[in-house]
């Protein structure tokens, strides 16, 4: 009976994630607000597992499963430090906020990153490096960069709405927190990138 309930819960949460992913593209404000109010921890767990699966598969394709496991550890660390960072800074402004909405809404901000994951793994299989400097090769690079930038913009929009509804703070305080976060964590991200531990341009 418990197994059946677990299966139903996972299935319904998976369907809800797919539905909300579409809505985050079309109506991010309304959808993120709904997630902050009604989001479930099971959805966050499934989003995490999807990301972990990618990192392991990517490590396997690059013949470095150990590095994939290390990347998983770095992924967990960066995510939790990020969520706690924004929670504690927000708590300084508004002591009535709760911790759970930060983790649930921030797990949904991983969706643009997950799109980037899937695209990379498909391209790695279909068009493995090294790629040429021909017109087609350069055109492909331009398209991929434009695609990555569009995902980054979407990511920033989702992060803003996640902070807006989790912290219940205004625009200027959210911008302040985001700038403070960038000042502290961009050097860490660059370090992890150059050490080849966590080679993801945006989390």
């Amino acid at each position: 009976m418990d197994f059946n309930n677990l299966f139903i819960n996972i299935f319904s949460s998976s369907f809800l994630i797919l539905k909300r992913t579409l809505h985050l593209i079309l109506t991010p404000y309304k959808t993120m607000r709904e997630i902050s109010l009604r989001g479930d921890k099971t959805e966050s767990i499934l989003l995490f597992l999807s990301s972990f699966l990618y990192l392991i598969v990517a490590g396997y394709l690059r013949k470095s499963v150990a590095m994939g496991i290390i990347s998983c550890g770095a992924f967990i660390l960066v995510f939790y430090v990020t969520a706690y960072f924004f929670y504690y800074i927000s708590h300084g402004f508004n002591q009535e906020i709760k911790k759970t909405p930060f983790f649930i809404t921030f797990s949904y901000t991983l969706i643009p990153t997950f799109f980037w994951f899937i695209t990379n793994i498909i391209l790695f299989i279909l068009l493995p490096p090294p790629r040429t400097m021909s017109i087609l090769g350069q055109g492909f690079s331009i398209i991929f960069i434009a695609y990555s930038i569009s995902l980054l913009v979407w990511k920033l929009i989702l992060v803003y709405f996640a902070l807006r509804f989790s912290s219940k703070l205004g625009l200027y305080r959210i911008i302040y927190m985001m700038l403070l976060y960038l000042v502290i964590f961009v050097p860490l991200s660059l370090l992890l990138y150059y050490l080849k531990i966590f080679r993801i341009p945006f989390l």
Side-chain angles (χ1 to χ4, degrees), residues 154-173:
W154 183 30
K155 170 85 173 185
L156 292 174
I157 292 171
L158 295 186
V159 168
Y160 170 75
F161 287 144
L163 287 172
R164 174 70 181 84
F165 296 119
S166 298
S167 68
K168 299 179 174 61
L169 297 177
L171 174 63
Y172 294 112
R173 286 181 174 176

Side-chain angles (χ1 to χ4, degrees), residues 30-43:
K30 179 181 177 181
T31 307
M32 191 59 79
R33 183 175 183 274
E34 178 186 345
I35 292 169
S36 69
L37 296 173
R38 302 184 182 89
D40 186 78
K41 292 180 180 179
T42 305
E43 299 162 40

Side-chain angles (χ1 to χ4, degrees), residues 44-53 75 79-80 107 110:
S44 298
I45 293 171
L46 290 175
L47 288 167
F48 262 99
L49 290 176
S50 299
S51 301
F52 296 159
L53 179 62
F75 178 85
F79 179 86
Y80 272 87
S107 65
L110 294 174

Side-chain angles (χ1 to χ4, degrees), residues 167-182:
S167 68
K168 299 179 174 61
L169 297 177
L171 174 63
Y172 294 112
R173 286 181 174 176
I174 291 174
I175 292 176
Y176 165 76
M177 290 193 298
M178 293 178 73
L179 291 175
L180 183 61
Y181 175 83
L182 291 175

